Amino acid sequence: MYQVIARKYRPQTFEDLIGQEPVRTTLENAIRTGRLAHGYIFAGQRGTGKTTVARILARCLNCIKGPTAQPCGECASCLEITAGNSPDVIEIDAASNRGINEMRELRENVRYRPARDRYKVFIIDEAHQITNEAFNALLKTLEEPPEWAVFVLCTTEVHKIPNTIASRCQQFSFRSVQFDELIERLEYIAKQEGVDADQDVLAVIANAGEGSVRDSLSALDQAIACCGKTLRVDEVRVLLGVFAIDSLQAIADAVREQNGEKMLEVVQELDRTGQSLQHFCRELARYWRNLLVAKIAGKPTRLIAASDREQQAMVGIAGDFSEEDLTRYLQLTLDLFKTLQSSLQPRLHLELGLIKLVQVGKLQSIEEAISRLGADTPLRASAPAPRTGIAKLAPSGGRTSSAAPEPRTPAIPAARTVIAPERKPDRSNGPSVKQNTGDFKTDLHAALTELGMKMSADAVQHADVRTDGAEVVFTTAKTFLLGLKDAAVARSASALLGRPVKVRVEIDANRTAPSGAAPGSERKETQMPVDDNVTERALSHPGVKRFQELFPGAHVRAVRNLNE
Ligand SMILES: Nc1ncnc2c1ncn2[C@@H]1O[C@H](COP(=O)(O)OP(=O)(O)OP(=O)(O)O)[C@@H](O)[C@H]1O
Ligand SMILES: [Mg+2]
Ligand SMILES: [Zn+2]
């Protein structure tokens, strides 16, 4: 009869066990030194070896050559424990025998000496399922156990074991097994079974278990049943419902390229092929997590459950993002997963969530942006709007958002809202060309008015304007200096002229500001008696310049001489 791989390859000795080193060493030492406890709790994730180790312990104790940490595997006791019919090793499934009667029976049983062997070992599986009454009955036994009794309580939910019980037992935690150890085990088993499987296939199979060795072995069973003696990675992926790393990579590409359309295509494809959108979302979260780890480690690491080849690819992709970016994507994807779990319209929510990833784009810290200013990276006035055409807000907290399509030379971000041109004129990109009259001064005035830059618009109106090579020269009264020095003037002028120009202001001492040049509160500022020298110095201060470059929407409203 066919025996499933998980059972066929259940470790019979500590040597066969993978992972769980602390458990193994402690138990081996206890056996060697004869310091055995009467009660053990084996706690931890399912399929990681709790029942297996309980049986190994039973063999160690009852092997004819024992007690020994290396049971012979040949004596009646060893063989019977393996077969599950040893008279002195009693396995109780608490899931179905959880009541007081079973525990009373067990108490009775404990009182009798072992039928043949040294110890009576009681392995209680799913121990957290025992009822309170039954636990009380068990407690009595644990308080005064006969010398031959050993209890092993196995559970995935150790917090459900009452303290009274737990405090009388030695507790061991079973951890999920390291990926590479699991791969090695799978490789070994595949070889024993005469099955051809490369590292990528094994990685897929190992991952399918989500930390449970048993589940990974079941996946291997399934793969062999379906694909025969040669396992092909694409076939196994489909079989196990694992998404090709390519489709996850497509998401990362779309985020990097700020390509909302590509996102929607991925969803379309998932829907078309009938894949679970929730499952995809979960895989995506795992993918961001792996990229984040790859980013932090900078090289393949044990912390990522993927083949070396896949890890190399991840390190490459992670290089295009910052740790903060990846952290945010992970958070957003986890939020999305939560939403999807209760969503009646998962496709809509998935689309929305993925578009959000595009919109948040990539962040640049102020520090990064400033340091880039230091280097002679070409500056761009503002980030291009995302293709989705939806407003992109720079989050608060001293960080600004940039939606540069080319990751290696990110644009200097706009601190204010960047709005796609088709919806509203973009503040930072100057006026739309359609409205131009052809007269530069009039157009510039109109553009600044439209941007809400009243002070600058007024200043333009009260100046003579001419172009001089790469400069626009304003001749005006000193009152208007501030308004003209606003970065928005140079930007709007550049946009109108279709080439980058700088602003130069020539002060005409004969001019004075006409009264009523600027209405209301603006007037006070506009007509504020500014010392040209102080203003010039303030505006040419590198700190102020950096700010103006970093926050193109910002403008200097007034300069005060602190010495006065
Ligand atoms: N640490 C391990 N080393 C090698 N094989 C393991 C290990 N853990 C589990 N296995 C494999 O998985 C199968 C199931 O393991 P086991 O029954 O010990 O898990 P468990 O922790 O008791 O799980 P559950 O909580 O579901 O009862 C074993 O037969 C064995 O093939
Ligand atoms: Mg078990
Ligand atoms: Zn033996």
Side-chain angles (χ1 to χ4, degrees), residues 48 103 116 148 167 237 295 306 340 389 441 455:
T48 51
M103 284 307 136
R116 176 192 62 205
W148 54 80
S167 63
R237 263 193 199 121
K295 175 82 190 179
L340 282 185
K441 184 170 159 176
M455 196 165 109

Side-chain angles (χ1 to χ4, degrees), residues 505-517:
V505 181
E506 286 174 351
I507 304 295
D508 181 354
N510 295 326
R511 291 184 182 230
T512 49
S515 59

Side-chain angles (χ1 to χ4, degrees), residues 83-141:
N85 54 17
S86 159
D88 292 322
V89 177
I90 298 109
E91 278 196 47
I92 302 159
D93 178 12
S96 43
N97 305 291
R98 54 202 291 266
I100 180 89
N101 289 336
E102 283 82 6
M103 284 307 136
R104 286 210 180 108
E105 230 171 80
L106 187 135
R107 249 165 72 188
E108 280 302 299
N109 192 332
V110 173
R111 285 172 42 211
Y112 301 108
R113 292 189 158 273
R116 176 192 62 205
D117 300 331
R118 249 166 258 116
Y119 290 93
K120 255 189 172 165
V121 183
F122 297 88
I123 301 174
I124 307 182
D125 255 325
E126 315 290 333
H128 58 272
Q129 302 242 24
I130 297 173
T131 62
N132 275 341
E133 279 181 307
F135 265 129
N136 280 334
L138 180 62
L139 184 61
K140 299 243 162 60
T141 319

